[in-house]
Amino acid sequence: MSDTKPDSKDASASTGASNFIRHMIAQDLASSKHGGRVQTRFPPEPNGYLHIGHAKSICLNFTVAAENGGHCNLRFDDTNPAKESQEFVDSIKDNITWLGFQWHGDVRYSSNYFDALFDFAVQLINKGLAYVCSLSADEAREYRGTLTAPGRNSPDRERSIADNIDLFSRMRAGEFADGTYSLRAKIDMASPNINMRDPVLYRIRHIDHHQTGSTWCIYPTYDYTHCISDAIENITHSICTLEFEDHRPLYDWILHNLDIDSLRAVSDLADSDYDYVLPEQTEFAKLKLNYTMMGKRNLKEMVETGVVQGWDDPRMPTLAGMRRRGFTPASIRNFCESVGVSRSESVVDLSMLEHAVREDLDKHAARAMCVLNPLKVVLTNLPSGHVERLSMANHPKDESMGRREVPLTQEIFIDRADFEESPPEGFKRLVPGGEVRLRGAYVIRCDEVIKSSSGKVQELHCSVDRDTLGKNPEGRKVKGVIHWVSAELSLPVSVRLYDRLFNVEKPDSKDIEDYRTCLNPDSLVELYDCFVEPSVADSAVRHFQFEREGYFCVDAIDSTPERLVFNRTITLRDSWSV
RNA sequence: UGGGGUGUCGCCAAGCGGUAAGGCACAAGGUUUUGAUCCUUGCAUACGUUGGUUCGAAUCCAGCCACCCCAGCCA
């Protein structure tokens, strides 16, 4: 799908708002802490689809690097093959590109570093800083202690270096079953930080890996892998979310206990003149949005149980879903920038996201008219067979977007909501005997209301004031303007009206037993009897503002040349709430 | 009752000892052939709380309170 043109492209450097990460980097640059370099990375695990929360991290990492003449790597943190797949790496790459970012060089994988990781593990063993443990997972949990009680040393903690080397080699060779042994760091079983109680570095998993196939049957853990991968890639600022804060001491412990020269030797900058400086981790608060569930587990479950129609369901907070819904890359980037970066866990109001899309779409979306709930209007003083091609601007403020022709015929459709027999106070649309402007065309007067036997309004007979094209009528003021389409020369289309998926602010709150109880029954309303002006059929653009209704985009999947399907991205702001 | 964090307007968020930026939302005007956009105006004597230091504190210190994260061989 093509997105609204102009600034969708340049996702790089912008005048960013002040935040603590930018401050830190400015200071580090000033003090030449990392040799004046800025190198970041976005490290997703390919175990699901990216969502708007990931977008915040992507924007942060890529933007902050670009602003400072640095680079951002894309590295798949693929150390748990049981949960990962190629499908996810493909979608993640696609989403990042769509968002408008280009990673530095080739895509990286932690699995690229499995050999080096193994060698460093041997190094730790040789330094007496790691050992092979035979405790089962359950036993290990028991030995670990609790939040308030210290743990106990593993009976294998003092195993000899030679035995550890032997066992670790045999783990790699596939001699042992899953779970029989693990490699653990020897740190401190009494540490108040549970991550430091001899964390597991390697576990045995006889399972193929999406990148390395059957080469390995032992896989390194996140804590062990991430810091070394950062060091290998010469990352300067390893930015992650708050829940990893307690892992930082371990991140540092591993790096500081490895021989720095051997680390440097396998790093990207091994042959450069740069000083070799270890990466440092900094944490920020992840994005939370009200009326939205963000957890991968929850999203996955909604997909699998059919609450939504897939990862790219337009109601999903996934980038794939938002893209299909009609969000533009720029709108998401602007949103992420406007939300800021801090360490306080906050819940952003959905209205901020809505503002960001409207802002971008208002500027770039072509205007068109589409009648969602048609009510036939006969323009009685126009001859049947009358076809008048009216020229209208595609954008009220941007002539460069050109013009289009909209046919006016004797019979037209207007929206049922734009006619009221007994209008409420302040109603500015069509009423019996009243006048209203047809957008881009004439002022009409409602002369007659035709009803069915049941009393339902069937059609309206109106007369056109031929002297009102491009000018106001003499001597009276017509306040209302409504949209319309030709009954004969318009395209029947389907329209999907989307709204928030949940009707409570915190669908993932513990107070809610089952999120299914707070699903918004109107999150999707499908209309099959809509009519859009013919110009959209041969338009190259995919995003439109259907005047007075909202922003819509052509559904990239279900649309056919015979029948277009539109998704409502977001309504227009509406200060006329009925 | 262990450790690590966070508390500035309804929601985000600047501020880093010199007397509370900005955005969203909201409200009131103006423009308008979209009740849209755009424009103008308003919107925290107040920075979780209590004390202390200081000529001066949201900013420094101490205590207290609230909330979040950690006991995966997940990331």
Side-chain angles (χ1 to χ4, degrees), chain A residues 117-133 156-172 182-186 201-202 218 224 253 257-259:
Chain A
L117 257 0
F118 184 86
D119 292 343
F120 284 123
V122 169
Q123 190 182 118
L124 287 177
I125 292 172
N126 281 133
K127 285 184 167 186
L129 295 175
Y131 62 97
V132 173
C133 179
D156 299 328
R157 205 169 194 261
E158 300 310 322
R159 196 194 297 281
S160 75
I161 290 175
D163 287 352
N164 280 323
I165 293 289
D166 175 62
L167 282 170
F168 189 45
S169 305
R170 292 165 64 193
M171 280 170 62
R172 177 188 193 169
S182 65
L183 181 73
R184 296 226 257 160
K186 190 191 284 190
L201 270 23
Y202 268 91
I218 58 172
Y224 178 64
W253 183 92
N257 280 297
L258 256 14
D259 175 54

Side-chain angles (χ1 to χ4, degrees), chain A residues 115-373:
Chain A
D115 283 315
L117 257 0
F118 184 86
D119 292 343
F120 284 123
V122 169
Q123 190 182 118
L124 287 177
I125 292 172
N126 281 133
K127 285 184 167 186
L129 295 175
Y131 62 97
V132 173
C133 179
S134 62
L135 252 27
S136 69
D138 285 341
E139 291 167 331
R141 174 165 46 250
E142 197 221 311
Y143 272 73
R144 190 156 37 235
T146 68
L147 293 178
T148 50
R152 290 138 54 211
N153 285 169
S154 161
D156 299 328
R157 205 169 194 261
E158 300 310 322
R159 196 194 297 281
S160 75
I161 290 175
D163 287 352
N164 280 323
I165 293 289
D166 175 62
L167 282 170
F168 189 45
S169 305
R170 292 165 64 193
M171 280 170 62
R172 177 188 193 169
E175 290 187 30
F176 309 121
D178 289 4
T180 52
Y181 287 106
S182 65
L183 181 73
R184 296 226 257 160
K186 190 191 284 190
I187 307 180
D188 178 9
M189 289 306 290
S191 173
N193 180 346
I194 292 183
N195 295 119
M196 299 299 267
R197 319 240 262 228
D198 289 11
V200 170
L201 270 23
Y202 268 91
R203 65 292 216 195
I204 301 172
R205 289 272 185 286
H206 289 272
I207 181 177
D208 281 4
H209 185 285
H210 51 100
Q211 302 301 316
T212 61
S214 56
T215 307
W216 296 87
C217 64
I218 58 172
Y219 292 98
T221 55
Y222 163 82
D223 285 308
Y224 178 64
T225 306
H226 204 90
C227 53
I228 295 177
S229 300
D230 282 345
I232 289 174
E233 294 177 14
N234 298 96
I235 300 303
T236 57
H237 301 268
S238 184
I239 301 168
C240 64
T241 44
L242 252 25
E243 68 269 27
F244 292 103
E245 194 155 18
D246 290 342
H247 295 240
R248 194 169 67 223
L250 178 53
Y251 183 105
D252 292 335
W253 183 92
I254 293 169
L255 256 20
H256 288 287
N257 280 297
L258 256 14
D259 175 54
I260 191 151
D261 290 324
S262 50
L263 227 27
R264 176 184 181 125
V266 296
S267 77
D268 288 0
L269 263 30
D271 300 319
S272 78
D273 296 330
Y274 282 105
D275 286 339
Y276 188 73
V277 184
L278 260 14
E280 286 183 8
Q281 174 180 306
T282 303
E283 312 83 16
F284 71 99
K286 63 164 57 120
L287 174 70
K288 289 184 182 178
L289 261 183
N290 59 11
Y291 298 102
T292 308
M293 277 213 298
M294 211 78 93
K296 260 185 196 173
R297 223 202 62 194
N298 290 325
L299 297 182
K300 189 161 191 261
E301 192 186 305
M302 288 196 287
V303 170
E304 287 170 353
T305 60
V307 168
V308 294
Q309 292 162 11
W311 286 99
D312 66 347
D313 186 298
R315 293 165 295 182
M316 291 283 271
T318 54
L319 294 180
M322 294 176 73
R323 176 181 184 175
R324 193 170 171 193
R325 168 91 167 247
F327 281 80
T328 56
S331 69
I332 294 174
R333 281 187 253 118
N334 293 344
F335 168 71
C336 290
E337 182 62 47
S338 75
V339 142
V341 180
S342 77
R343 289 176 61 86
S344 66
E345 301 193 34
S346 45
V347 182
V348 173
D349 197 286
L350 249 199
S351 68
M352 289 240 216
L353 216 209
E354 297 178 340
H355 170 77
V357 231
R358 288 196 182 105
E359 187 181 43
D360 189 48
L361 257 15
D362 173 61
K363 214 176 310 177
H364 302 301
R367 310 290 122 124
M369 293 192 287
C370 180
V371 172
L372 268 21
N373 299 294

Side-chain angles (χ1 to χ4, degrees), chain A residues 448-477:
Chain A
E448 195 178 349
V449 180
I450 314 292
K451 293 185 186 175
S452 67
S453 51
S454 64
K456 189 187 179 192
V457 176
Q458 206 131 55
E459 64 177 64
L460 267 24
H461 284 6
C462 298
S463 48
V464 170
D465 182 341
R466 302 301 306 248
D467 196 33
T468 54
L469 186 61
K471 61 177 179 183
N472 288 127
E474 314 264 315
R476 67 213 136 102
K477 202 80 174 164

Side-chain angles (χ1 to χ4, degrees), chain A residues 417-418 420 423-429 548 573-578:
Chain A
D418 287 334
E420 281 295 345
E425 185 77 13
F427 191 75
K428 299 205 310 200
R429 286 106 97 149
R548 304 207 313 128
R573 282 186 69 217
D574 184 11
S575 57
W576 168 253
S577 45
V578 197

Side-chain angles (χ1 to χ4, degrees), chain A residues 369-372 374 413 485-495 527-537 546 558-566:
Chain A
M369 293 192 287
C370 180
V371 172
L372 268 21
F413 291 126
V485 294
S486 160
E488 301 93 321
L489 300 175
S490 58
L491 273 32
V493 296
S494 298
V495 174
L527 304 175
Y528 302 98
D529 192 29
C530 312
F531 295 91
V532 73
E533 61 172 81
S535 69
V536 306
F546 289 158
D558 296 324
S559 285
T560 64
E562 296 75 44
R563 173 159 275 249
L564 291 173
V565 176
F566 288 94

